[in-house]
Amino acid sequence: MTENSDEVVLSELSDDELIEQVHDDLYDGLQDEVAESTNILLSRNWSADKILNDALVEGMRIVGIDFRDGILFVPEVLLSANAMKGGMAILQPLLAESGIEPIGKIVIGTVKGDIHDIGKNLVAMMMEGAGFEVIDIGINQSVEDYFAALEKHKPDILGMSALLTTTMPYMKIVIDEMIATGIRDDYIVLVGGAPLNAEFGEAVGADGYCRDAAQAAEMGPQLIRERREVANCA
Ligand code: B1M
């Protein structure tokens, strides 16, 4: 997208120009530049979540459009994803900074056949920021992987992510197996990912569908509170 990012002095750009430059640098997969701009925006008192949404997430949305339209290909999008991680690594401690006792525990992973992890990582970061202990089990997780993590960590919430229409049905396989083995009601199940919606969440038997990481960080505590209230009344 940009032809000569090398010649741009990032610190001399206005806020609007810098945001646009981050979009271009994400598009071009320039991790160092994305990290530098993230630091500059922080030094200009931008909040971590505003940088995340306006600069990084919006930049990846633009990448996604050209990926869909066959203008960008997998290797280029991988570079963009890495560049995004450069910015996210800087924001992560700020988003996770809460200093409060964990309000619950979540095991989260991307379903089998799916290697997209940027959204899942964001959810993990925001949940940490909301005071959760987060166990991120990674990508391409099978029923057995999820079950092993549930058994080991005994979380309040199981979170599943899917970015492909071909992998999202795997969430139902996991939930059906939880029902079959009698453990479904031991956990709150939250699902998310770009191709999902609330109807899908309901259809697969999840307790909640989260449109984005912020909603996951709101819904998680809310459902835990509701569950604890019911347990106290029983
Ligand atoms: Co992929 N890819 N990709 N890709 N990729 C999409 C998803 C796609 C929509 C692109 C497109 O065509 N426009 C398309 C899917 C089409 C479809 O299924 N209908 C697609 C495709 C087709 C593919 C391949 C099949 C391409 C190929 O090989 N021909 C292939 C599949 C590989 C596989 O998984 N088996 C593939 C590969 C890749 C890369 C490896 C190159 C790379 C992933 C790198 C990585 O993740 N480390 C990649 C990327 C980067 C994308 C796009 C461009 C960006 C995804 C992203 O990171 N978004 C994506 C296009 C797009 O979505 N615009 C695309 C930013 C992220 C912050 O948003 O992940 O939606 P998102 O997460 C949000 C919410 O959804 C929600 O919160 C997050 C934060 O707010 N959320 C949750 C997500 N998970 C949640 C879990 C929760 C709660 C909320 O649990 C509680």
Side-chain angles (χ1 to χ4, degrees), residues 53 57 60-61 63-65 67-69 73-75 77-78 81 84-85 106 108-109 113-123 127 157-167 171 190-195 208-214 216:
N53 290 322
V57 172
M60 284 309 285
R61 192 186 65 79
V63 168
I65 293 169
F67 188 31
R68 180 197 60 205
D69 295 345
F73 297 95
V74 172
V77 178
L78 267 177
M84 168 127 183
K85 285 179 181 175
I106 175 169
I108 186 163
D114 199 323
I115 62 168
H116 294 85
D117 69 353
I118 295 177
K120 166 188 68 61
N121 295 348
L122 267 176
V123 174
M127 295 298 272
I157 301 177
L158 169 64
M160 289 190 279
S161 178
L163 263 288
L164 299 171
T165 45
T166 49
T167 57
M171 292 174 167
L190 296 182
V191 294
Y209 154 74
C210 312
R211 184 184 59 247
D212 55 27

Side-chain angles (χ1 to χ4, degrees), residues 77-150:
V77 178
L78 267 177
L79 285 176
S80 298
N82 274 337
M84 168 127 183
K85 285 179 181 175
M88 274 166 61
I90 295 166
L91 299 180
Q92 176 159 26
L94 301 168
L95 292 167
E97 193 168 81
S98 65
I100 48 171
E101 278 292 295
I103 55 166
K105 208 190 267 190
I106 175 169
V107 160
I108 186 163
T110 303
V111 298
K112 188 172 170 184
D114 199 323
I115 62 168
H116 294 85
D117 69 353
I118 295 177
K120 166 188 68 61
N121 295 348
L122 267 176
V123 174
M125 280 163 56
M126 296 288 279
M127 295 298 272
E128 252 175 51
F132 274 82
E133 182 183 346
V134 178
I135 296 112
D136 183 348
I137 56 174
I139 54 172
N140 194 23
Q141 295 294 304
S142 65
V143 171
E144 293 75 22
D145 297 327
Y146 282 117
F147 273 46
L150 293 178

Side-chain angles (χ1 to χ4, degrees), residues 21-71:
Q21 188 64 43
V22 175
H23 298 165
D24 285 353
D25 289 342
L26 272 173
Y27 194 97
D28 294 336
L30 302 177
Q31 192 187 64
D32 290 348
E33 284 76 358
V34 170
E36 188 184 339
S37 297
T38 302
N39 279 322
I40 294 170
L41 288 165
L42 282 171
S43 74
R44 292 181 188 175
N45 292 325
W46 277 56
S47 66
D49 66 328
K50 188 164 167 58
I51 299 171
L52 180 68
N53 290 322
D54 293 7
L56 303 181
V57 172
E58 174 60 15
M60 284 309 285
R61 192 186 65 79
I62 296 166
V63 168
I65 293 169
D66 279 4
F67 188 31
R68 180 197 60 205
D69 295 345
I71 297 164

